[in-house]
Amino acid sequence: MSTARIADDLQFAYWVPNVSGGLVVSDIEQTTDWGIDYNRRLAQTAEQVGFDYALSQVRYLGSYGAESQHESVSFSLALLEATEKLKVIAAVHPGFWQPAVLAKLATTASELYDGRFALNVVSGWLKDEFQKFGEPWLEHDERYRRSGEFLQVLRAIFAG
């Protein structure tokens, strides 16, 4: 593949700092703001300089240096509202979402924002988080099996 073809096809994304400290594991004080105003401006700037996607992180409890986090789906909707072209991907955990409800939300968001909303289904790894939210902890292979099943159900719902 030629470099010209790669340049035409290559797309860029950034990781939305919707988590305090931006999920940077460091002893250095972080200056990234995790608030919505900062993130709206960041999304608008990313769009202006040519980023194609923004990925909102998902975490429900503080972990590895982050004390606070915004929920990824609702945060993503605010970023879509603040932009015109940027596609926003919201990370979600199977088990925390009922597939039919999430499918309805995603369909509505996609319609409202011209197909710019997407989902990133993640299997999760933070045992404490699942347990504190009343979800059973599944071992690695079972978490991935659940994610696969979750995707199948979502795709079936989207297909009608």
Side-chain angles (χ1 to χ4, degrees):
M1 182 179 287
S2 72
T3 55
R5 171 76 192 267
I6 292 170
D8 288 341
D9 293 341
L10 190 61
Q11 296 187 333
F12 295 92
Y14 76 95
W15 203 9
V16 174
N18 57 311
V19 176
S20 64
L23 281 184
V24 176
V25 180
S26 174
D27 292 335
I28 299 170
E29 183 179 347
Q30 299 301 307
T31 58
T32 302
D33 184 349
W34 63 289
I36 189 59
D37 292 335
Y38 173 82
N39 271 280
R40 284 183 179 128
R41 289 191 309 274
L42 184 62
Q44 291 165 344
T45 300
E47 182 175 74
Q48 289 168 2
V49 301
F51 277 84
D52 303 288
Y53 295 92
L55 172 60
S56 292
Q57 309 165 49
V58 63
R59 188 65 52 230
Y60 297 95
L61 298 175
S63 60
Y64 51 96
E67 294 177 8
S68 302
Q69 291 116 17
H70 293 292
E71 188 278 318
S72 62
V73 173
S74 52
F75 207 78
S76 294
L77 297 176
L79 299 182
L80 286 166
E81 186 65 28
T83 58
E84 296 176 8
K85 299 178 292 187
L86 189 71
K87 297 170 192 80
V88 182
I89 307 165
V92 295
H93 285 119
F96 288 105
W97 284 93
Q98 201 279 342
V101 172
L102 183 60
K104 187 65 172 178
L105 186 154
T107 300
T108 301
S110 187
E111 184 178 329
L112 291 173
Y113 298 105
D114 300 319
R116 296 186 298 126
F117 181 73
L119 296 171
N120 174 33
V121 176
V122 296
S123 298
W125 58 268
L126 191 57
K127 182 178 183 177
D128 191 45
E129 184 171 67
F130 278 82
Q131 292 177 329
K132 284 186 177 173
F133 276 83
E135 280 296 312
W137 177 247
L138 303 175
E139 293 303 322
H140 180 275
D141 291 351
E142 279 300 298
R143 289 194 314 277
Y144 280 82
R145 184 208 52 76
R146 176 175 57 189
S147 292
E149 183 178 283
F150 189 78
L151 285 168
Q152 285 180 333
V153 171
L154 285 175
R155 285 187 175 119
I157 293 169
F158 293 140

Short mmCIF file of all heavy atoms in Angstrom, two decimals, residues 95-148:
data_model
loop_
_atom_site.label_atom_id
_atom_site.label_comp_id
_atom_site.label_asym_id
_atom_site.label_seq_id
_atom_site.Cartn_x
_atom_site.Cartn_y
_atom_site.Cartn_z
N GLY A 95 -23.12 -5.85 31.12
CA GLY A 95 -23.41 -6.10 32.53
C GLY A 95 -23.89 -4.83 33.21
O GLY A 95 -24.80 -4.88 34.04
N PHE A 96 -23.32 -3.70 32.86
CA PHE A 96 -23.78 -2.43 33.40
C PHE A 96 -24.91 -1.84 32.56
O PHE A 96 -25.60 -0.94 33.00
CB PHE A 96 -22.64 -1.41 33.48
CG PHE A 96 -21.64 -1.72 34.56
CD1 PHE A 96 -20.39 -2.23 34.25
CD2 PHE A 96 -21.94 -1.49 35.89
CE1 PHE A 96 -19.47 -2.51 35.23
CE2 PHE A 96 -21.02 -1.76 36.89
CZ PHE A 96 -19.78 -2.28 36.55
N TRP A 97 -25.06 -2.34 31.34
CA TRP A 97 -26.09 -1.85 30.43
C TRP A 97 -26.99 -2.99 30.01
O TRP A 97 -26.52 -4.07 29.66
CB TRP A 97 -25.46 -1.25 29.16
CG TRP A 97 -24.86 0.10 29.37
CD1 TRP A 97 -23.55 0.37 29.67
CD2 TRP A 97 -25.52 1.36 29.26
NE1 TRP A 97 -23.37 1.72 29.77
CE2 TRP A 97 -24.55 2.36 29.51
CE3 TRP A 97 -26.83 1.73 28.97
CZ2 TRP A 97 -24.87 3.71 29.49
CZ3 TRP A 97 -27.13 3.08 28.94
CH2 TRP A 97 -26.15 4.06 29.20
N GLN A 98 -28.27 -2.73 29.95
CA GLN A 98 -29.22 -3.67 29.38
C GLN A 98 -29.18 -3.41 27.87
O GLN A 98 -29.31 -2.27 27.42
CB GLN A 98 -30.61 -3.40 29.96
CG GLN A 98 -31.59 -4.52 29.87
CD GLN A 98 -32.25 -4.61 28.52
OE1 GLN A 98 -32.26 -3.68 27.74
NE2 GLN A 98 -32.82 -5.76 28.25
N PRO A 99 -28.94 -4.43 27.04
CA PRO A 99 -28.70 -4.21 25.61
C PRO A 99 -29.82 -3.45 24.88
O PRO A 99 -29.52 -2.59 24.04
CB PRO A 99 -28.53 -5.61 25.03
CG PRO A 99 -28.20 -6.48 26.18
CD PRO A 99 -28.81 -5.85 27.39
N ALA A 100 -31.08 -3.75 25.16
CA ALA A 100 -32.16 -3.08 24.44
C ALA A 100 -32.20 -1.59 24.77
O ALA A 100 -32.46 -0.76 23.89
CB ALA A 100 -33.50 -3.73 24.76
N VAL A 101 -31.95 -1.23 26.02
CA VAL A 101 -31.93 0.18 26.42
C VAL A 101 -30.77 0.89 25.74
O VAL A 101 -30.93 1.99 25.19
CB VAL A 101 -31.85 0.32 27.96
CG1 VAL A 101 -31.65 1.77 28.37
CG2 VAL A 101 -33.10 -0.26 28.60
N LEU A 102 -29.59 0.28 25.76
CA LEU A 102 -28.43 0.88 25.12
C LEU A 102 -28.65 1.00 23.61
O LEU A 102 -28.28 2.01 23.00
CB LEU A 102 -27.16 0.07 25.41
CG LEU A 102 -25.87 0.63 24.85
CD1 LEU A 102 -25.58 2.03 25.40
CD2 LEU A 102 -24.71 -0.30 25.14
N ALA A 103 -29.23 -0.01 22.99
CA ALA A 103 -29.50 0.04 21.55
C ALA A 103 -30.43 1.20 21.22
O ALA A 103 -30.23 1.92 20.23
CB ALA A 103 -30.09 -1.28 21.08
N LYS A 104 -31.46 1.40 22.03
CA LYS A 104 -32.38 2.50 21.80
C LYS A 104 -31.68 3.84 21.96
O LYS A 104 -31.86 4.76 21.15
CB LYS A 104 -33.58 2.39 22.76
CG LYS A 104 -34.67 3.38 22.49
CD LYS A 104 -35.31 3.14 21.15
CE LYS A 104 -36.54 4.01 20.94
NZ LYS A 104 -37.13 3.81 19.62
N LEU A 105 -30.88 3.96 23.00
CA LEU A 105 -30.12 5.19 23.22
C LEU A 105 -29.18 5.45 22.04
O LEU A 105 -29.13 6.57 21.51
CB LEU A 105 -29.32 5.08 24.52
CG LEU A 105 -28.59 6.33 24.96
CD1 LEU A 105 -28.39 6.31 26.46
CD2 LEU A 105 -27.26 6.51 24.27
N ALA A 106 -28.44 4.44 21.61
CA ALA A 106 -27.48 4.59 20.52
C ALA A 106 -28.18 4.95 19.21
O ALA A 106 -27.69 5.78 18.43
CB ALA A 106 -26.66 3.31 20.36
N THR A 107 -29.32 4.33 18.95
CA THR A 107 -30.09 4.62 17.74
C THR A 107 -30.57 6.06 17.75
O THR A 107 -30.46 6.77 16.75
CB THR A 107 -31.27 3.64 17.61
OG1 THR A 107 -30.77 2.32 17.56
CG2 THR A 107 -32.09 3.93 16.37
N THR A 108 -31.08 6.50 18.87
CA THR A 108 -31.55 7.88 18.99
C THR A 108 -30.40 8.86 18.83
O THR A 108 -30.50 9.84 18.09
CB THR A 108 -32.25 8.09 20.35
OG1 THR A 108 -33.34 7.18 20.45
CG2 THR A 108 -32.74 9.52 20.51
N ALA A 109 -29.27 8.60 19.51
CA ALA A 109 -28.10 9.48 19.41
C ALA A 109 -27.58 9.53 17.98
O ALA A 109 -27.21 10.60 17.48
CB ALA A 109 -27.02 9.02 20.37
N SER A 110 -27.55 8.39 17.32
CA SER A 110 -27.07 8.34 15.95
C SER A 110 -27.97 9.16 15.02
O SER A 110 -27.50 9.88 14.14
CB SER A 110 -27.00 6.89 15.47
OG SER A 110 -26.40 6.82 14.21
N GLU A 111 -29.27 9.08 15.25
CA GLU A 111 -30.20 9.87 14.45
C GLU A 111 -30.06 11.36 14.73
O GLU A 111 -30.02 12.18 13.82
CB GLU A 111 -31.63 9.42 14.74
CG GLU A 111 -32.67 10.13 13.89
CD GLU A 111 -34.07 9.63 14.15
OE1 GLU A 111 -34.25 8.45 14.50
OE2 GLU A 111 -35.00 10.45 14.02
N LEU A 112 -29.96 11.73 15.99
CA LEU A 112 -29.85 13.14 16.37
C LEU A 112 -28.55 13.78 15.87
O LEU A 112 -28.52 14.96 15.55
CB LEU A 112 -29.91 13.30 17.89
CG LEU A 112 -31.25 13.01 18.55
CD1 LEU A 112 -31.11 13.05 20.07
CD2 LEU A 112 -32.31 14.00 18.08
N TYR A 113 -27.48 12.97 15.82
CA TYR A 113 -26.16 13.51 15.50
C TYR A 113 -25.59 12.95 14.21
O TYR A 113 -24.39 12.78 14.07
CB TYR A 113 -25.21 13.30 16.69
CG TYR A 113 -25.70 14.04 17.91
CD1 TYR A 113 -26.30 13.35 18.97
CD2 TYR A 113 -25.62 15.42 17.98
CE1 TYR A 113 -26.78 14.04 20.08
CE2 TYR A 113 -26.10 16.11 19.08
CZ TYR A 113 -26.67 15.41 20.13
OH TYR A 113 -27.15 16.10 21.21
N ASP A 114 -26.46 12.69 13.25
CA ASP A 114 -26.05 12.32 11.88
C ASP A 114 -25.07 11.15 11.83
O ASP A 114 -24.09 11.19 11.08
CB ASP A 114 -25.45 13.53 11.16
CG ASP A 114 -26.45 14.68 11.04
OD1 ASP A 114 -27.63 14.41 10.77
OD2 ASP A 114 -26.04 15.85 11.23
N GLY A 115 -25.31 10.12 12.64
CA GLY A 115 -24.47 8.93 12.58
C GLY A 115 -23.10 9.08 13.21
O GLY A 115 -22.22 8.25 13.00
N ARG A 116 -22.92 10.10 14.03
CA ARG A 116 -21.59 10.35 14.62
C ARG A 116 -21.39 9.66 15.97
O ARG A 116 -20.34 9.81 16.57
CB ARG A 116 -21.36 11.86 14.77
CG ARG A 116 -21.32 12.58 13.44
CD ARG A 116 -20.95 14.06 13.56
NE ARG A 116 -21.90 14.82 14.35
CZ ARG A 116 -21.58 15.58 15.42
NH1 ARG A 116 -20.34 15.66 15.84
NH2 ARG A 116 -22.52 16.25 16.05
N PHE A 117 -22.37 8.94 16.44
CA PHE A 117 -22.25 8.25 17.74
C PHE A 117 -21.91 6.79 17.53
O PHE A 117 -22.46 6.13 16.65
CB PHE A 117 -23.57 8.36 18.51
CG PHE A 117 -23.55 7.72 19.86
CD1 PHE A 117 -22.86 8.31 20.91
CD2 PHE A 117 -24.19 6.52 20.09
CE1 PHE A 117 -22.83 7.71 22.17
CE2 PHE A 117 -24.17 5.92 21.34
CZ PHE A 117 -23.48 6.52 22.38
N ALA A 118 -20.97 6.29 18.31
CA ALA A 118 -20.57 4.88 18.22
C ALA A 118 -20.31 4.34 19.62
O ALA A 118 -20.16 5.09 20.58
CB ALA A 118 -19.31 4.74 17.36
N LEU A 119 -20.27 3.02 19.71
CA LEU A 119 -20.02 2.35 20.99
C LEU A 119 -18.71 1.58 20.94
O LEU A 119 -18.36 1.00 19.91
CB LEU A 119 -21.16 1.37 21.30
CG LEU A 119 -22.53 1.99 21.50
CD1 LEU A 119 -23.60 0.90 21.58
CD2 LEU A 119 -22.55 2.85 22.76
N ASN A 120 -18.03 1.56 22.05
CA ASN A 120 -16.84 0.74 22.25
C ASN A 120 -17.17 -0.22 23.39
O ASN A 120 -17.22 0.18 24.54
CB ASN A 120 -15.64 1.63 22.61
CG ASN A 120 -14.40 0.84 22.95
OD1 ASN A 120 -14.17 -0.24 22.41
ND2 ASN A 120 -13.59 1.38 23.85
N VAL A 121 -17.44 -1.47 23.05
CA VAL A 121 -17.80 -2.46 24.06
C VAL A 121 -16.51 -3.01 24.67
O VAL A 121 -15.68 -3.57 23.95
CB VAL A 121 -18.65 -3.59 23.45
CG1 VAL A 121 -18.94 -4.67 24.48
CG2 VAL A 121 -19.96 -3.01 22.90
N VAL A 122 -16.36 -2.81 25.97
CA VAL A 122 -15.16 -3.27 26.68
C VAL A 122 -15.56 -4.29 27.74
O VAL A 122 -16.61 -4.17 28.35
CB VAL A 122 -14.37 -2.10 27.30
CG1 VAL A 122 -13.84 -1.17 26.23
CG2 VAL A 122 -15.22 -1.31 28.28
N SER A 123 -14.73 -5.28 27.92
CA SER A 123 -15.07 -6.39 28.81
C SER A 123 -14.82 -6.08 30.28
O SER A 123 -15.39 -6.71 31.15
CB SER A 123 -14.29 -7.64 28.40
OG SER A 123 -14.67 -8.00 27.09
N GLY A 124 -13.99 -5.10 30.56
CA GLY A 124 -13.70 -4.72 31.93
C GLY A 124 -12.63 -5.58 32.58
O GLY A 124 -12.38 -6.70 32.16
N TRP A 125 -12.02 -5.02 33.60
CA TRP A 125 -10.96 -5.74 34.31
C TRP A 125 -10.91 -5.40 35.80
O TRP A 125 -10.24 -6.05 36.57
CB TRP A 125 -9.60 -5.44 33.68
CG TRP A 125 -9.27 -3.97 33.68
CD1 TRP A 125 -9.54 -3.08 32.68
CD2 TRP A 125 -8.66 -3.21 34.73
NE1 TRP A 125 -9.15 -1.82 33.05
CE2 TRP A 125 -8.59 -1.87 34.31
CE3 TRP A 125 -8.18 -3.54 35.99
CZ2 TRP A 125 -8.05 -0.87 35.09
CZ3 TRP A 125 -7.63 -2.52 36.77
CH2 TRP A 125 -7.58 -1.20 36.30
N LEU A 126 -11.66 -4.37 36.21
CA LEU A 126 -11.58 -3.91 37.59
C LEU A 126 -12.63 -4.64 38.43
O LEU A 126 -13.80 -4.25 38.48
CB LEU A 126 -11.78 -2.39 37.64
CG LEU A 126 -11.47 -1.69 38.96
CD1 LEU A 126 -10.05 -1.96 39.43
CD2 LEU A 126 -11.71 -0.20 38.82
N LYS A 127 -12.20 -5.71 39.08
CA LYS A 127 -13.10 -6.58 39.83
C LYS A 127 -13.91 -5.81 40.87
O LYS A 127 -15.12 -6.00 41.00
CB LYS A 127 -12.27 -7.68 40.51
CG LYS A 127 -13.08 -8.68 41.29
CD LYS A 127 -12.17 -9.77 41.88
CE LYS A 127 -12.94 -10.82 42.61
NZ LYS A 127 -12.07 -11.90 43.12
N ASP A 128 -13.24 -4.94 41.61
CA ASP A 128 -13.90 -4.17 42.66
C ASP A 128 -15.06 -3.36 42.11
O ASP A 128 -16.12 -3.24 42.74
CB ASP A 128 -12.87 -3.26 43.33
CG ASP A 128 -13.38 -2.61 44.60
OD1 ASP A 128 -14.00 -3.32 45.42
OD2 ASP A 128 -13.15 -1.40 44.77
N GLU A 129 -14.88 -2.81 40.93
CA GLU A 129 -15.91 -2.00 40.31
C GLU A 129 -17.17 -2.82 40.02
O GLU A 129 -18.28 -2.42 40.33
CB GLU A 129 -15.36 -1.40 39.01
CG GLU A 129 -16.29 -0.45 38.32
CD GLU A 129 -15.58 0.25 37.18
OE1 GLU A 129 -15.22 -0.41 36.19
OE2 GLU A 129 -15.40 1.47 37.30
N PHE A 130 -17.00 -3.98 39.43
CA PHE A 130 -18.15 -4.84 39.13
C PHE A 130 -18.87 -5.23 40.42
O PHE A 130 -20.09 -5.16 40.51
CB PHE A 130 -17.69 -6.09 38.37
CG PHE A 130 -17.53 -5.86 36.89
CD1 PHE A 130 -16.37 -5.29 36.39
CD2 PHE A 130 -18.54 -6.20 36.01
CE1 PHE A 130 -16.22 -5.08 35.03
CE2 PHE A 130 -18.40 -5.99 34.65
CZ PHE A 130 -17.23 -5.43 34.16
N GLN A 131 -18.10 -5.65 41.41
CA GLN A 131 -18.71 -6.13 42.65
C GLN A 131 -19.43 -5.01 43.40
O GLN A 131 -20.51 -5.24 43.94
CB GLN A 131 -17.65 -6.79 43.52
CG GLN A 131 -17.17 -8.10 42.91
CD GLN A 131 -16.06 -8.75 43.71
OE1 GLN A 131 -15.25 -8.09 44.36
NE2 GLN A 131 -16.01 -10.07 43.65
N LYS A 132 -18.87 -3.82 43.45
CA LYS A 132 -19.51 -2.71 44.16
C LYS A 132 -20.79 -2.25 43.48
O LYS A 132 -21.63 -1.63 44.12
CB LYS A 132 -18.53 -1.55 44.33
CG LYS A 132 -17.51 -1.83 45.42
CD LYS A 132 -16.63 -0.64 45.69
CE LYS A 132 -15.69 -0.98 46.84
NZ LYS A 132 -14.71 0.06 47.06
N PHE A 133 -20.93 -2.55 42.20
CA PHE A 133 -22.16 -2.20 41.49
C PHE A 133 -23.12 -3.38 41.38
O PHE A 133 -24.10 -3.34 40.65
CB PHE A 133 -21.83 -1.64 40.10
CG PHE A 133 -21.51 -0.17 40.15
CD1 PHE A 133 -20.23 0.25 40.47
CD2 PHE A 133 -22.48 0.78 39.90
CE1 PHE A 133 -19.92 1.60 40.55
CE2 PHE A 133 -22.19 2.13 39.97
CZ PHE A 133 -20.90 2.55 40.29
N GLY A 134 -22.83 -4.44 42.13
CA GLY A 134 -23.74 -5.57 42.19
C GLY A 134 -23.67 -6.52 41.01
O GLY A 134 -24.54 -7.38 40.86
N GLU A 135 -22.65 -6.38 40.20
CA GLU A 135 -22.47 -7.27 39.06
C GLU A 135 -21.57 -8.43 39.47
O GLU A 135 -20.57 -8.22 40.16
CB GLU A 135 -21.82 -6.53 37.88
CG GLU A 135 -22.78 -5.69 37.09
CD GLU A 135 -23.84 -6.52 36.41
OE1 GLU A 135 -23.52 -7.54 35.76
OE2 GLU A 135 -25.02 -6.16 36.54
N PRO A 136 -21.90 -9.63 39.04
CA PRO A 136 -21.01 -10.75 39.37
C PRO A 136 -19.67 -10.59 38.65
O PRO A 136 -19.62 -10.09 37.53
CB PRO A 136 -21.76 -11.97 38.84
CG PRO A 136 -22.66 -11.42 37.78
CD PRO A 136 -23.02 -10.03 38.21
N TRP A 137 -18.62 -10.96 39.34
CA TRP A 137 -17.30 -10.92 38.72
C TRP A 137 -17.11 -12.18 37.90
O TRP A 137 -17.31 -13.28 38.39
CB TRP A 137 -16.19 -10.81 39.76
CG TRP A 137 -14.83 -10.85 39.12
CD1 TRP A 137 -13.89 -11.83 39.24
CD2 TRP A 137 -14.29 -9.90 38.22
NE1 TRP A 137 -12.81 -11.54 38.48
CE2 TRP A 137 -13.01 -10.35 37.83
CE3 TRP A 137 -14.75 -8.69 37.68
CZ2 TRP A 137 -12.19 -9.64 36.96
CZ3 TRP A 137 -13.93 -7.99 36.81
CH2 TRP A 137 -12.67 -8.47 36.46
N LEU A 138 -16.79 -12.01 36.64
CA LEU A 138 -16.54 -13.13 35.75
C LEU A 138 -15.05 -13.18 35.42
O LEU A 138 -14.42 -12.14 35.24
CB LEU A 138 -17.33 -12.97 34.44
CG LEU A 138 -18.85 -12.82 34.58
CD1 LEU A 138 -19.47 -12.55 33.21
CD2 LEU A 138 -19.45 -14.05 35.22
N GLU A 139 -14.51 -14.36 35.33
CA GLU A 139 -13.11 -14.50 34.95
C GLU A 139 -12.94 -14.07 33.49
O GLU A 139 -13.91 -13.91 32.74
CB GLU A 139 -12.64 -15.94 35.16
CG GLU A 139 -12.59 -16.34 36.64
CD GLU A 139 -11.70 -15.43 37.49
OE1 GLU A 139 -10.62 -14.99 37.00
OE2 GLU A 139 -12.08 -15.13 38.63
N HIS A 140 -11.70 -13.88 33.09
CA HIS A 140 -11.34 -13.31 31.80
C HIS A 140 -12.15 -13.87 30.63
O HIS A 140 -12.81 -13.13 29.88
CB HIS A 140 -9.84 -13.52 31.57
CG HIS A 140 -9.36 -12.97 30.27
ND1 HIS A 140 -9.43 -13.69 29.09
CD2 HIS A 140 -8.82 -11.78 29.96
CE1 HIS A 140 -8.95 -12.96 28.11
NE2 HIS A 140 -8.57 -11.79 28.60
N ASP A 141 -12.10 -15.17 30.42
CA ASP A 141 -12.77 -15.77 29.26
C ASP A 141 -14.28 -15.56 29.31
O ASP A 141 -14.91 -15.34 28.27
CB ASP A 141 -12.44 -17.26 29.15
CG ASP A 141 -10.99 -17.50 28.78
OD1 ASP A 141 -10.28 -16.53 28.44
OD2 ASP A 141 -10.56 -18.67 28.84
N GLU A 142 -14.85 -15.60 30.50
CA GLU A 142 -16.29 -15.39 30.63
C GLU A 142 -16.68 -13.94 30.37
O GLU A 142 -17.74 -13.66 29.82
CB GLU A 142 -16.80 -15.83 32.01
CG GLU A 142 -17.01 -17.32 32.10
CD GLU A 142 -18.06 -17.79 31.09
OE1 GLU A 142 -19.23 -17.37 31.15
OE2 GLU A 142 -17.69 -18.58 30.20
N ARG A 143 -15.82 -12.99 30.77
CA ARG A 143 -16.10 -11.58 30.47
C ARG A 143 -16.11 -11.36 28.96
O ARG A 143 -16.96 -10.65 28.43
CB ARG A 143 -15.08 -10.66 31.14
CG ARG A 143 -15.22 -10.59 32.64
CD ARG A 143 -14.45 -9.45 33.26
NE ARG A 143 -13.09 -9.25 32.82
CZ ARG A 143 -12.03 -9.91 33.29
NH1 ARG A 143 -12.18 -10.85 34.22
NH2 ARG A 143 -10.83 -9.65 32.84
N TYR A 144 -15.17 -11.98 28.26
CA TYR A 144 -15.11 -11.82 26.81
C TYR A 144 -16.26 -12.56 26.13
O TYR A 144 -16.79 -12.09 25.11
CB TYR A 144 -13.75 -12.24 26.27
CG TYR A 144 -12.74 -11.15 26.47
CD1 TYR A 144 -12.09 -10.98 27.70
CD2 TYR A 144 -12.47 -10.24 25.46
CE1 TYR A 144 -11.19 -9.95 27.91
CE2 TYR A 144 -11.57 -9.20 25.66
CZ TYR A 144 -10.94 -9.06 26.88
OH TYR A 144 -10.07 -8.03 27.07
N ARG A 145 -16.67 -13.68 26.67
CA ARG A 145 -17.83 -14.39 26.14
C ARG A 145 -19.07 -13.51 26.29
O ARG A 145 -19.87 -13.37 25.37
CB ARG A 145 -18.04 -15.73 26.87
CG ARG A 145 -19.21 -16.56 26.27
CD ARG A 145 -19.86 -17.48 27.28
NE ARG A 145 -20.29 -16.85 28.53
CZ ARG A 145 -21.39 -16.07 28.67
NH1 ARG A 145 -22.16 -15.81 27.66
NH2 ARG A 145 -21.69 -15.56 29.85
N ARG A 146 -19.23 -12.89 27.46
CA ARG A 146 -20.37 -12.00 27.69
C ARG A 146 -20.33 -10.82 26.71
O ARG A 146 -21.36 -10.43 26.16
CB ARG A 146 -20.38 -11.48 29.13
CG ARG A 146 -21.49 -10.47 29.36
CD ARG A 146 -21.64 -10.00 30.78
NE ARG A 146 -20.43 -9.42 31.29
CZ ARG A 146 -20.26 -9.08 32.57
NH1 ARG A 146 -21.22 -9.29 33.45
NH2 ARG A 146 -19.13 -8.57 32.98
N SER A 147 -19.14 -10.27 26.47
CA SER A 147 -19.03 -9.16 25.51
C SER A 147 -19.45 -9.60 24.12
O SER A 147 -20.15 -8.87 23.41
CB SER A 147 -17.60 -8.62 25.47
OG SER A 147 -17.29 -7.99 26.69
N GLY A 148 -19.03 -10.80 23.72
CA GLY A 148 -19.43 -11.32 22.41
C GLY A 148 -20.93 -11.48 22.30
O GLY A 148 -21.55 -11.12 21.29
#
